[in-house]
């Protein structure tokens, strides 16, 4: 039975969806105003793993993610870049989706843009006003956190503690409580705006998520995920909004939060010069390296990205590759010793215990150790090797770092030009010149071979 650590109860709980095998799962998506970094990659790889595992277990998961395409940061960045907020948002949404594709994240069922849910957002603000949870002041409509009895139940803060809140708290003089947050912001001159029953404006940050989830999942659903820093104020606000509107609780049965990724012990920040974008990382390294590096830690624990971890993970990938090529070559050996059964049992036990990927990956490496020593003694049968390969393929549907395609080698343009030159020389029977060119190519590190199928170039 799968058990999940629920932030709401601070306990591991047996996982039971609201409707049989159907799971509705929402994860906070990006605010699209810049390139995503490897800290974002961690969050999205973690939830990709979780959804893929649930699907492997036979759950029918509807995975919804929002895209914040209107917000203060977007407006500010657009101003700096002399473009419009919506153009900037579309541009970085595209880049975000590109990054997700290169991270092999393909588990999301639907992406939902905030700006395409304005009608639903307005409807929620209206209902909050009508029920007395919201009030209007000079610059917008705000949520009165004192009115919501259970405020703070997720982050375990009181209304007063919420007042020395973290970033992205809305500043406005007329607010009733310091921790009150904006639901609808009246637009200032030149800002993007939508019509509303009050004044033209744009949604606050928290309201988009509940508007989107209410539309697609209803007022209650199974799982909400995101990085730990979203617990407060963002997720607390979601609960306050939706439970006040519907009068039903809980909004979400299981709250899953992923841990931070630091770089050499520090928080990633542009000002510290340790900001690593996903595409910069992938320029230098294969995606499987990042997936293993992230998944070998428990999703809730912090990960520190550093040189040592990178080198160690590379070595682990080499061990995997070596083992797989050995398995593929295994010929002899006595009948089965049930290595696969034992490994798959420990893999599953680990995953069922709150997606304990470090333990699950340890089970894979223990399989590799035992397998290697059996192969060395000629004691692994061909059929068992095949079974192990099948098991690893199944595991890789969730992890995506075991099997990979060797990227086609790129021959530099300069070399190709020299090879062409040599072809012409050969055609013109300039044998001496052709040999010279071949030696030139060799000095640059490439070998030209003339075979029946034509000329072949090899990197030496
Ligand atoms: Zn969110």
């Amino acid at each position: 039975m799968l058990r999940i650590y629920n932030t709401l109860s601070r306990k591991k709980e047996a996982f039971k969806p609201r409707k049989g095998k159907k799971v509705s799962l929402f994860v906070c998506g990006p605010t699209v105003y810049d390139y995503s970094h490897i800290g974002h990659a961690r969050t999205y790889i973690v939830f990709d793993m979780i959804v893929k595992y649930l699907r492997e277990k036979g759950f029918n998961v509807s995975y919804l993610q929002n895209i914040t395409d209107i917000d203060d940061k977007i407006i500010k960045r657009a101003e700096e870049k002399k473009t419009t907020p919506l153009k900037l948002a579309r541009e970085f949404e595209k880049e975000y989706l590109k990054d997700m594709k290169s991270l092999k994240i393909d588990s999301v069922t639907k992406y939902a843009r905030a700006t395409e849910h304005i009608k639903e957002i307005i409807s929620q603000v209206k209902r909050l006003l009508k029920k007395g949870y919201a009030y209007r002041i000079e610059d917008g409509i705000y949520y009165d956190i004192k009115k919501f009895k259970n405020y703070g139940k997720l982050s375990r803060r009181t209304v007063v503690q919420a007042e020395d809140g973290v970033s992205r708290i809305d500043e406005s003089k007329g607010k009733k409580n310091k921790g009150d947050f904006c639901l609808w912001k009246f637009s200032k001159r030149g800002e993007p705006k939508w019509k509303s029953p009050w004044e033209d404006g744009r949604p606050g940050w928290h309201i988009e998520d509940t508007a989107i989830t209410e539309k697609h999942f209803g007022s209650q659903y199974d799982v909400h995920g995101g990085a730990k820093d979203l617990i407060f104020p963002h997720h607390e606000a979601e609960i306050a909004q939706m439970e006040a509107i519907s009068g039903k609780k809980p909004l979400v049965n299981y709250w899953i939060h992923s841990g931070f990724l630091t770089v050499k012990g520090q928080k990633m920040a542009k000002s510290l010069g340790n900001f690593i974008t996903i595409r910069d990382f992938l320029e230098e390294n294969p995606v499987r390296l990042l997936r293993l590096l992230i998944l070998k830690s428990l999703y809730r624990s912090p990960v520190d990205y550093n040189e040592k971890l990178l080198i160690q993970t590379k070595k682990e990938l080499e061990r995997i590759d070596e083992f797989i090529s050995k398995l593929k070559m295994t010929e002899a050996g006595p009948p089965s010793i049930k290595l696969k059964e034992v490994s798959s049992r420990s893999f599953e036990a680990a995953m069922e215990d709150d997606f304990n990927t470090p333990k699950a990956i340890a089970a894979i490496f223990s399989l590799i150790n035992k397998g290697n020593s059996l192969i060395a003694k000629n004691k692994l049968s061909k059929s068992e090797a095949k079974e192990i390969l099948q098991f690893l393929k199944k595991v890789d549907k969730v992890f995506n770092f075991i099997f990979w395609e060797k990227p086609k080698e790129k021959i530099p343009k300069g070399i190709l030009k020299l090879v062409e030159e040599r072809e012409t020389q050969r055609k013109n029977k300039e044998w001496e010149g052709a040999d010279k060119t071949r030696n030139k190519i060799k000095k640059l590190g490439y070998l030209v071979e003339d075979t029946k199928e034509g000329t072949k170039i090899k990197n030496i």
Side-chain angles (χ1 to χ4, degrees):
M1 181 76 171
L2 174 61
R3 288 159 63 79
I4 298 179
Y5 181 86
N6 188 352
T7 310
L8 192 62
S9 65
R10 304 287 197 274
K11 272 188 212 130
K12 283 184 197 170
E13 296 173 11
F15 182 60
K16 206 172 166 285
R18 297 167 52 84
K19 291 176 201 147
K21 282 278 184 185
K22 266 188 84 170
V23 176
S24 36
L25 180 145
F26 176 82
V27 172
C28 289
T31 300
V32 279
Y33 72 105
D34 206 341
Y35 293 105
S36 308
H37 56 64
I38 56 172
H40 300 127
R42 180 183 189 192
T43 309
Y44 298 121
I45 286 174
V46 159
F47 286 101
D48 183 59
M49 172 277 290
I50 287 177
V51 170
K52 282 174 175 167
Y53 181 71
L54 290 174
R55 286 185 183 146
E56 273 299 294
K57 294 299 291 179
F59 290 105
N60 175 9
V61 186
S62 174
Y63 178 3
L64 179 65
Q65 211 180 87
N66 69 312
I67 296 211
T68 303
D69 58 349
I70 182 68
D71 128 298
D72 290 339
K73 288 189 208 167
I74 296 173
I75 292 174
K76 194 167 163 255
R77 184 62 56 86
E79 232 166 67
E80 287 162 13
K81 292 188 111 185
K82 307 240 177 308
T83 179
T84 69
L86 287 184
K87 254 192 210 155
L88 182 92
R90 291 296 173 267
E91 184 191 327
F92 281 105
E93 178 188 299
K94 226 197 248 163
E95 300 302 338
Y96 171 75
L97 295 175
K98 250 193 238 166
D99 284 341
M100 292 305 108
K101 201 174 169 201
S102 36
L103 292 176
K104 300 204 172 186
I105 293 174
D106 48 11
S107 49
V108 178
T109 318
K110 187 180 174 58
Y111 289 102
R113 291 175 180 151
T115 58
E116 284 167 8
H117 292 78
I118 299 291
K119 193 180 85 196
E120 290 80 5
I121 289 167
I122 288 176
S123 147
Q124 291 208 333
V125 180
K126 259 190 195 165
R127 283 177 280 165
L128 285 169
L129 277 166
K130 202 171 161 202
K131 291 194 156 192
Y133 288 95
Y135 59 93
R136 177 182 178 156
I137 51 174
E138 196 188 4
D139 62 345
I141 316 269
Y142 284 80
Y143 190 100
D144 183 351
I145 57 172
K146 260 193 191 148
K147 287 272 163 70
F148 185 65
K149 228 175 52 223
N150 286 314
Y151 187 81
K153 68 175 168 180
L154 182 69
S155 60
R156 308 217 165 155
R157 289 180 198 232
T158 62
V159 170
V160 177
Q161 280 169 332
E163 301 201 339
D164 26 76
V166 288
S167 61
R168 270 175 118 159
I169 285 250
D170 302 298
E171 290 299 338
S172 179
K173 277 182 221 146
K175 288 197 302 187
K176 288 187 181 170
N177 312 289
K178 217 178 155 203
D180 289 355
F181 52 88
C182 194
L183 297 166
W184 187 261
K185 232 171 237 188
F186 301 152
S187 73
K188 290 186 208 133
R189 184 189 286 270
E191 285 181 356
K193 56 183 177 184
W194 285 265
K195 285 219 171 317
S196 86
W198 316 288
E199 270 177 47
D200 293 356
R202 60 192 159 93
W205 174 34
H206 316 304
I207 195 81
E208 68 178 82
D209 288 24
T210 47
I212 286 168
T213 53
E214 188 188 18
K215 179 180 176 185
H216 298 281
F217 292 158
S219 54
Q220 291 179 294
Y221 59 98
D222 299 301
V223 185
H224 190 317
K228 267 195 174 125
D229 54 342
L230 297 183
I231 296 175
F232 181 84
H234 188 46
H235 293 161
E236 199 68 70
E238 284 189 41
I239 292 176
Q241 287 164 177
M242 198 64 235
E243 291 185 8
I245 290 171
S246 70
K248 290 181 204 159
K249 60 185 177 184
L251 158 65
V252 168
N253 284 346
Y254 304 88
W255 286 89
I256 304 180
H257 289 101
S258 58
F260 295 127
L261 182 138
T262 49
V263 176
K264 290 177 195 152
Q266 279 179 313
K267 203 181 163 194
M268 218 180 333
K270 277 206 168 138
S271 55
L272 291 172
N274 63 357
F275 195 87
I276 306 166
T277 64
I278 292 170
R279 57 196 58 199
D280 281 350
F281 181 92
L282 293 181
E283 188 97 345
E284 310 262 323
N285 303 287
V287 55
R288 59 197 294 247
L289 184 64
L290 190 59
R291 288 192 69 111
L292 172 56
L293 188 149
I294 284 167
L295 293 176
K296 68 191 220 175
S297 291
L298 184 63
Y299 74 88
R300 291 189 270 131
S301 307
V303 168
D304 187 47
Y305 175 86
N306 55 53
E307 205 59 31
K308 210 178 124 199
L309 179 67
L310 202 64
I311 291 168
Q312 197 186 35
T313 311
K314 273 183 192 161
K315 279 190 190 143
E316 285 160 0
L317 285 179
E318 279 165 21
R319 281 185 62 209
I320 292 175
D321 291 346
E322 214 181 291
F323 181 57
I324 284 172
S325 63
K326 273 190 204 165
L327 282 179
K328 284 181 179 161
M329 289 189 304
T330 296
E331 288 294 347
S336 178
I337 35 87
K338 304 278 177 222
L339 190 53
K340 184 228 134 192
E341 268 79 357
V342 176
S343 313
S344 80
R345 238 176 287 139
S346 17
F347 171 83
E348 197 153 326
M351 292 299 284
E352 293 287 286
D353 180 18
D354 192 29
F355 312 105
N356 195 322
T357 52
K359 263 196 188 160
I361 291 169
I364 304 291
F365 278 103
S366 150
L367 164 73
I368 291 177
N369 283 341
K370 285 178 195 151
N372 274 334
S373 80
L374 287 172
I375 291 169
K377 289 183 238 159
N378 250 333
K379 276 187 175 167
L380 192 79
S381 69
K382 190 172 182 159
S383 67
E384 177 125 43
K386 226 174 164 179
E387 261 182 40
I388 294 174
L389 276 171
Q390 267 162 3
F391 164 64
L392 290 176
K393 277 190 181 140
K394 217 177 141 200
V395 167
D396 213 32
K397 279 192 188 160
V398 179
F399 286 168
N400 293 96
F401 60 68
I402 297 174
F403 294 91
W404 59 296
E405 267 171 44
K406 207 174 169 184
K408 274 203 185 119
E409 203 202 337
K410 264 196 191 155
I411 310 277
K413 270 190 190 152
I415 302 289
L416 289 175
K417 220 173 155 197
L418 284 172
V419 172
E420 217 173 278
E421 202 178 302
R422 182 173 166 269
E423 285 299 299
T424 321
Q425 287 166 326
R426 272 160 50 90
K427 256 186 222 150
N428 298 338
K429 300 199 161 60
E430 296 165 20
W431 305 117
E432 214 174 299
D435 277 349
K436 264 190 192 159
T437 311
R438 175 197 227 140
N439 283 335
K440 210 164 150 188
I441 296 169
K442 202 173 166 186
K443 269 189 197 142
L444 292 169
Y446 289 85
L447 197 67
V448 185
E449 285 177 331
D450 302 306
T451 67
K452 272 183 212 156
E453 296 95 46
T455 308
K456 278 190 177 156
I457 317 160
K458 259 207 287 200
N459 189 344
I460 45 178

